[in-house]
Amino acid sequence: MAAPTRLGGFPAVLAAVLMVAAPAAATPGDADRGEEIYAARCLQCHGEDGDGLSPAEERLNPPPRDFTSGDYKFRSTAFEDFVPNDDDLMRMVRDGMNGTAMPGWGDILSEQEMWDVIAYIKTFAGLEEEQPSAQVDYGTMIESSPDSIAKGRDLFLASDRCSECHGRDGKGDAVKRLKDDNGARTWPRNLTKGWTFRTSNAPKDIFTRISVGIPSTQMPSFADPKSKKKLSIEERWHVANYVASLADSERVVRADNTVIKAAKVDGGLPSSPDDPAWTEGPPATFFLVPQIVAGERFFTPANDSITVRALYDDTAIALLVEWDDRTQSIPGDAKAEAIAEDGMGEDAVAIQFPVTVPQGMEKPYFLMGDATRPVNLWQWSSGTTDTSEGVTLADARGINDRRERDASASGLTATGSYRDGTWRVAMTRPLTTDAIGDDLQFSEGRFIPIAFFNWDGSNGETATKHTMTTWYWLLLAPAAGSRPIIAAIVVALLILGALILWARGAAKRSGS
């Protein structure tokens, strides 16, 4: 088969990952058996003809792969070779692809069944008899080190080689409107979120991606000798080590971290979202999922996680909500609208609390409460060219039953800050208000349900089109004080006393 070169006219989109596999042997699969498995497992997304035109197409982000094009994004054959290794395909079928709807089938299908499926999907593009002609040249791997990472950063930034799309800090916040060869909107990878790389953010996988590019997208190959931004093998290892070093280890979703522990502080609460005092509150990070339950549903989100810290003192509570957002959405601003989807709205975030803390585990309906269990919504919006940022307070008994109230009467304030692809919004409210029965009243030591809603205005997210979390917990942890120290001393004295008694007893027994 001919080997089309995917050079593209666009510079640097670094992104996720792929295969490091060795060249594959001939596929040991049976296409006839694979067709039956495909019909049962794959057809719903990839379509009967393998062209990705299925009922699910418009509701998946990214859309399902079109096998008829033979354009595989994540392969370890050389950039000028169109044919993937069979091991590349096996890895995708077996392990799935991070950040997409493609699951791993390794726990469901046998290895032979997966080879059978691979044999079948290759027939869509007539690849069943094709063999790769060239592999990625890895040369001699350069281990990660401070020196290699520093060199990689220089290459990343030089002439905007990678930062043109991925931003100076790798958050994908450079302002370019990107589309793939099929016209679908694509967003540069946020390289600080290693868990979103399609296969992994290991340096060798990143090296592969830099070398091959991502066919059908604007991520070019940096091994292409015709490219003005070509990198040598050694340089690609430095860039790979730098990109791997960008992984954020603090703002990571941890399944066992379901409680936001508000720390009690003295000397007042921070008023600015950029105040270093926020570090006194431990972060908790949660996944955002699209709202597909009611109203106008939403299936193609751009933001994927949110991080929260909380502080309180004797009179008030403050929460800092952070999320990475590639674009600062400013309705009315020509530059912002140039890279946004139609109908751009404001960026926004809302915190949801039950009006009354439930006595048991039963909480209000997670999507803005219900008729018998209303919720409070604290919502901050970023503003437009004509209006400044603002905060609203609402009581809700469901997504279509919302009553706006005066936020200032309850003492609710909010301030936002956007920098380097990240929003930080600080919200503050007194622990108690006069609106007992309408406002949640905060107190120490209680587990309070809390949930979040998020809108990326540049992604066309307005009204019921947004992302959200499920319920989590907020705990105003009492100040530690001296009680733990006293308890530790008491325990130590008890142990010491027991040892003395034991020693005396032993001495008497040895002397008798």
Side-chain angles (χ1 to χ4, degrees):
M1 172 172 283
T5 302
R6 306 286 169 180
L7 300 180
F10 302 86
V13 180
L14 255 197
V17 201
L18 171 62
M19 315 277 87
V20 182
T27 303
D30 182 292
D32 292 336
R33 290 198 300 267
E35 183 176 8
E36 296 177 7
I37 300 168
Y38 179 91
R41 305 289 189 182
C42 316
L43 181 150
Q44 292 83 354
C45 290
H46 292 284
E48 183 176 0
D49 299 321
D51 53 9
L53 299 178
S54 69
E57 177 200 7
E58 294 183 355
R59 297 181 174 182
L60 297 179
N61 184 27
R65 181 66 43 80
D66 174 5
F67 296 130
T68 64
S69 71
D71 224 355
Y72 289 93
K73 292 183 179 178
F74 303 101
R75 55 182 174 77
S76 57
T77 49
F79 79 94
E80 69 271 25
D81 195 328
F82 186 62
V83 182
N85 290 312
D86 285 348
D87 285 345
D88 296 340
L89 305 182
M90 171 56 86
R91 186 174 179 185
M92 283 184 269
V93 173
R94 183 189 61 224
D95 301 338
M97 300 183 72
N98 298 327
T100 77
M102 173 66 184
W105 293 96
D107 293 335
I108 297 175
L109 301 176
S110 68
E111 182 165 333
Q112 183 57 56
E113 288 174 324
M114 289 188 283
W115 281 124
D116 292 342
V117 169
I118 290 167
Y120 180 63
I121 64 176
K122 289 173 66 176
T123 66
F124 287 122
L127 295 178
E128 55 270 39
E129 301 298 330
E130 301 292 339
Q131 293 297 320
S133 59
Q135 302 293 322
V136 169
D137 182 359
Y138 293 96
T140 301
M141 180 177 179
I142 297 177
E143 297 289 345
S144 182
S145 67
D147 178 64
S148 175
I149 291 172
K151 290 177 178 175
R153 175 175 170 77
D154 290 342
L155 293 164
F156 185 93
L157 297 174
S159 303
D160 273 343
R161 176 180 279 109
C162 310
S163 54
E164 182 177 16
C165 291
H166 292 283
R168 291 190 61 80
D169 294 325
K171 291 183 179 177
D173 57 315
V175 285
K176 294 192 71 177
R177 186 185 177 96
L178 304 178
K179 291 187 176 182
D180 66 17
D181 290 352
N182 295 320
R185 180 67 186 265
T186 62
W187 297 94
R189 178 76 54 225
N190 182 337
L191 302 174
T192 68
K193 296 185 174 183
W195 48 273
T196 66
F197 285 42
R198 292 294 183 252
T199 50
S200 89
N201 66 334
K204 192 170 184 179
D205 278 342
I206 298 171
F207 180 97
T208 307
R209 192 56 37 242
I210 297 169
S211 300
V212 180
I214 303 180
S216 80
T217 77
Q218 295 180 23
M219 170 67 185
S221 162
F222 290 93
D224 179 5
K226 296 179 182 177
S227 171
K228 294 180 181 179
K229 296 184 178 181
K230 178 181 181 295
L231 295 169
S232 68
I233 292 176
E234 178 180 338
E235 289 172 329
R236 276 176 269 154
W237 277 117
H238 291 319
V239 174
N241 288 332
Y242 170 65
V243 171
S245 76
L246 293 176
D248 187 337
S249 60
E250 183 177 55
R251 298 186 304 157
V252 176
V253 177
R254 305 185 195 284
D256 59 346
N257 188 7
T258 60
V259 179
I260 303 162
K261 296 175 182 173
K264 191 167 188 179
V265 297
D266 297 321
L269 297 173
S271 57
S272 165
D274 298 316
D275 193 316
W278 286 108
T279 57
E280 295 187 45
T285 300
F286 310 116
F287 283 124
L288 291 167
V289 297
Q291 192 287 109
I292 59 172
V293 179
E296 187 176 4
R297 296 172 173 82
F298 179 61
F299 295 93
T300 55
N303 300 333
D304 51 24
S305 64
I306 197 164
T307 299
V308 189
R309 302 172 190 264
L311 303 173
Y312 75 103
D313 59 17
D314 291 334
T315 61
I317 183 169
L319 292 103
L320 177 68
V321 186
E322 299 177 73
W323 69 97
D324 287 349
D325 185 333
R326 296 176 179 87
T327 54
Q328 183 176 10
S329 308
I330 311 172
D333 181 85
K335 289 181 63 177
E337 291 180 345
I339 59 172
E341 297 296 303
D342 293 339
M344 179 176 69
E346 300 173 60
D347 290 328
V349 68
I351 304 177
Q352 174 177 271
F353 295 107
V355 172
T356 303
V357 178
Q359 296 299 312
M361 296 300 291
E362 191 172 3
K363 298 180 281 290
Y365 186 52
F366 67 95
L367 187 54
M368 302 187 182
D370 51 64
T372 59
R373 288 164 297 188
V375 297
N376 290 155
L377 295 172
W378 303 358
Q379 182 165 333
W380 169 90
S381 299
S382 60
T384 70
T385 52
D386 297 324
T387 61
S388 57
E389 65 174 346
V391 62
T392 61
L393 170 63
D395 298 336
R397 298 176 184 271
I399 195 169
N400 295 314
D401 185 355
R402 177 169 171 150
R403 178 174 68 97
E404 302 293 335
R405 295 167 49 211
D406 182 0
S408 62
S410 293
L412 176 63
T413 63
T415 303
S417 167
Y418 184 82
R419 189 175 65 243
D420 300 330
T422 298
W423 272 112
R424 295 176 178 83
V425 175
M427 296 195 196
T428 304
R429 206 210 74 177
L431 293 175
T432 59
T433 72
D434 294 334
I436 299 172
D438 286 331
D439 281 333
L440 170 69
Q441 307 296 306
F442 293 93
S443 59
E444 284 185 343
R446 302 182 70 186
F447 284 88
I448 301 168
I450 185 172
F452 302 89
F453 302 93
N454 181 250
W455 290 260
D456 181 350
S458 296
N459 195 39
E461 299 177 26
T462 58
T464 61
K465 296 168 61 178
H466 57 74
T467 52
M468 56 192 292
T469 72
T470 186
W471 285 113
Y472 290 99
W473 299 99
L474 172 68
L475 175 66
L476 278 61
S482 57
R483 282 189 295 181
I485 298 175
I486 294 173
I489 293 173
V490 170
V491 171
L493 290 174
L494 290 173
I495 294 174
L496 178 61
L499 289 173
I500 292 172
L501 291 174
W502 175 82
R504 287 178 176 176
K508 289 181 178 179
R509 287 193 294 273
S510 63
S512 62

